[in-house]
Amino acid sequence: AAGVIQSPRHLIKEKRETATLKCYPIPRHDTVYWYQQGPGQDPQFLISFYEKMQSDKGSIPDRFSAQQFSDYHSELNMSSLELGDSALYFCASSLIAGTYNEQFFGPGTRLTVL
Amino acid sequence: KQEVTQIPAALSVPEGENLVLNCSFTDSAIYNLQWFRQDPGKGLTSLLLIQSSQREQTSGRLNASLDKSSGRSTLYIAASQPGDSATYLCVVPNQAGTALIFGKGTTLSVSS
């Protein structure tokens, strides 16, 4: 079965640079979620989209923005990168009308900021 | 605000032991509860999902129970193996069902 795809899998950036992470949900899933997991931390919810509209917002810095496109893929844009942004970024998808909104996670993108 | 607590934070056992990981949550109005496994620096592997109407789920050597009224869940691992060594995360949706809230995990080490 198709899973959530994230690209790139690894990304190395310098401080103050910009990064774009991409997420391709499971086909027919209409909701995408972004989570950030810092070293030794549990994943923290950043933001979610349902049918291309933001549905909820967590602890996402103002330097970050995200959107969901007409094909339901999502991009997380991160500007003015800081050392503390180094983390594993997970995308998940679900079908709102599906079974209790179970979220399916992608493999993650590891961002390293030097 | 929903909070998820996992006890113990770390656990070391010899191979073959049966063990129980505990999870508690503050708001009992949950849609479901999920247990994930995470190997160091790796992704999240879903182990079991228990719907709010269910009391337990089983997959192989794993059994997860859910007691919504008391805000507790347990993950039982039978006959532990070194390959079970990982961090186990207990996860519930927020009240709106728009995001997941993770516990801080139990890091399990099974020695051979």
Side-chain angles (χ1 to χ4, degrees), chain A:
Chain A
V4 177
I5 297 171
Q6 291 188 246
S7 68
R9 294 292 308 278
H10 301 273
L11 191 57
I12 299 175
K13 291 286 186 178
E14 300 278 344
K15 280 174 53 177
R16 293 180 287 277
E17 284 192 325
T18 297
T20 297
L21 309 185
K22 296 185 179 182
C23 170
Y24 298 86
I26 291 172
R28 292 186 295 282
H29 279 192
D30 50 21
T31 306
V32 170
Y33 312 79
W34 287 96
Y35 294 85
Q36 177 192 57
Q37 186 177 28
Q41 304 294 315
D42 52 292
Q44 296 291 317
F45 170 68
L46 292 178
I47 195 167
S48 62
F49 292 88
Y50 166 63
E51 285 290 344
K52 293 150 279 184
M53 299 289 290
Q54 181 182 306
S55 59
D56 199 1
K57 193 172 180 180
S59 49
I60 184 169
D62 292 340
R63 299 177 289 107
F64 294 7
S65 65
Q67 57 181 324
Q68 185 180 32
F69 295 86
S70 57
D71 64 351
Y72 294 100
H73 94 272
S74 178
E75 295 183 4
L76 177 66
N77 298 292
M78 311 159 69
S79 63
S80 302
L81 287 170
E82 301 174 357
L83 296 178
D85 296 329
S86 295
L88 196 52
Y89 290 83
F90 289 107
C91 172
S93 74
S94 72
L95 181 62
I96 283 293
T99 308
Y100 296 98
N101 302 347
E102 181 179 1
Q103 294 186 24
F104 297 83
F105 282 79
T109 292
R110 179 167 296 284
L111 172 66
T112 302
V113 181
L114 303 176

Side-chain angles (χ1 to χ4, degrees), chain B residues 88-105:
Chain B
Y88 291 81
L89 296 161
C90 174
V91 185
V92 298
N94 63 4
Q95 192 172 42
T98 52
L100 293 180
I101 300 170
F102 287 76
K104 297 198 177 298

